[in-house]
Amino acid sequence: MLTLEWESEGLQTVGIVVIIFASLKLLHLLGLIDFSEDSVEDEMEIATVRHRPEALELLEAQSKFTKKELQILYRGFKNECPSGIVNEETFKEIYSQFFPQGDSTTYAHFLFNAFDTDHNGSVSFEDFIMGLSILLRGTVQEKLNWAFNLYDINKDGYITKEEMLDIMKAIYDMMGKCTYPVLKEDAPRQHVETFFQKMDKNKDGVVTIDEFIESCQKDENIMRSMQLFENVI
């Protein structure tokens, strides 16, 4: 049983944490969290991979990982994804392993779209690294920008109640049956209303990026969650 604090405004906070936690599970299932101290190649081996990643030096400059960390990450990524890319079905399979008693399909879809920044239907090693760099090493504002992008399903620059409800339902489907106490069926909608009462400052029915970041920065639970995984890699 997974015990979570679901009272008051907890669900949207959990939503922020799940973004990072689910990404860490992806690392674990790719065999990337338990790093060994074995020596790694001076350069990435890409001869057998159909998708050739950008030069290591460029990724090092663009991300917040060191060269050695990128080498290790790539080795694990290549072992699990020989083609060099991850499609949405693979994402769904990964999260179904993590949440076998729930339905993670919809949440995996939303998370995949957040990693697939160029919207070409696949997540490359570069996409993976840039998202992970923000989630694990980014500033609070960078992490919140990434979270806002996840919630902004149609990418129009606003979070609507319908979009937030879709995300909350996806989290509920993925985790709700494994929580104690068990969530009521109308819990996602109730938490969306609470979310908007708190974040929709001008009461125009949508939440902007500025409203989202300002409200999150004032929430101690969300701020603590931003620090939880900084030293994982």
Side-chain angles (χ1 to χ4, degrees):
M1 272 289 197
L2 177 63
T3 301
L4 292 172
E5 180 59 55
W6 293 99
E7 302 301 326
S8 185
E9 301 166 3
L11 194 56
Q12 60 262 28
T13 302
V14 169
I16 300 283
V17 176
V18 167
I19 294 169
I20 303 176
F21 190 53
S23 302
L24 293 180
K25 190 57 184 180
L26 179 62
L27 277 178
H28 174 71
L29 289 170
L30 290 176
L32 299 177
I33 283 186
D34 294 323
F35 291 151
S36 66
E37 293 300 322
D38 298 337
S39 61
V40 295
E41 304 89 340
D42 288 336
E43 296 296 333
M44 294 185 291
E45 297 176 359
I46 60 176
T48 61
V49 182
R50 291 197 297 274
H51 173 83
R52 290 176 175 266
E54 296 173 0
L56 191 61
E57 292 77 9
L58 181 58
L59 280 178
E60 184 180 4
Q62 292 176 339
S63 73
K64 298 184 181 182
F65 295 120
T66 66
K67 182 177 180 179
K68 181 176 180 180
E69 288 170 337
L70 288 168
Q71 289 170 331
I72 297 171
L73 285 166
Y74 182 71
R75 182 171 60 183
F77 189 90
K78 183 184 68 174
N79 287 341
E80 296 298 326
C81 309
S83 67
I85 59 175
V86 179
N87 60 30
E88 186 171 333
E89 288 307 310
T90 302
F91 244 67
K92 291 177 179 178
E93 290 173 9
I94 288 172
Y95 288 110
S96 68
Q97 294 177 48
F98 187 31
F99 300 98
Q101 297 181 13
D103 182 358
S104 60
T105 302
T106 304
Y107 190 81
H109 167 74
F110 292 140
L111 197 62
F112 177 85
N113 285 342
F115 272 99
D116 180 18
T117 54
D118 52 8
H119 308 297
N120 65 354
S122 63
V123 173
S124 66
F125 180 65
E126 295 92 335
D127 295 331
F128 181 66
I129 286 299
M130 296 313 297
L132 205 62
S133 176
I134 292 172
L135 291 173
L136 299 184
R137 301 264 174 93
T139 65
V140 168
Q141 179 139 349
E142 287 172 335
K143 291 176 183 178
L144 291 176
N145 276 326
W146 201 94
F148 182 90
N149 181 63
L150 174 73
Y151 293 140
D152 179 18
I153 296 173
N154 67 359
K155 313 306 178 192
D156 66 351
Y158 302 95
I159 300 174
T160 65
K161 286 187 177 182
E162 290 75 16
E163 288 174 321
M164 180 56 64
L165 183 59
D166 285 343
I167 296 289
M168 292 296 106
K169 284 181 176 178
I171 294 173
Y172 177 85
D173 289 343
M174 184 170 63
M175 303 180 70
K177 296 177 182 178
C178 302
T179 63
Y180 181 82
V182 176
L183 286 173
K184 297 179 180 179
E185 289 295 328
D186 63 346
R189 188 173 297 277
Q190 290 177 355
H191 283 287
V192 168
E193 292 300 324
T194 301
F195 176 93
F196 268 78
Q197 288 174 13
K198 177 181 177 181
M199 294 199 174
D200 183 13
K201 301 295 186 182
N202 61 359
K203 308 302 179 186
D204 62 351
V206 296
V207 173
T208 65
I209 182 67
D210 291 336
E211 289 174 326
F212 181 81
I213 290 177
E214 180 183 351
S215 296
C216 287
Q217 287 179 331
K218 293 178 179 178
D219 188 308
E220 293 183 3
N221 291 327
I222 292 177
M223 287 301 95
R224 281 197 296 269
S225 77
M226 296 292 98
Q227 314 298 325
L228 288 178
F229 308 110
E230 290 185 349
N231 297 315
V232 170
I233 296 179

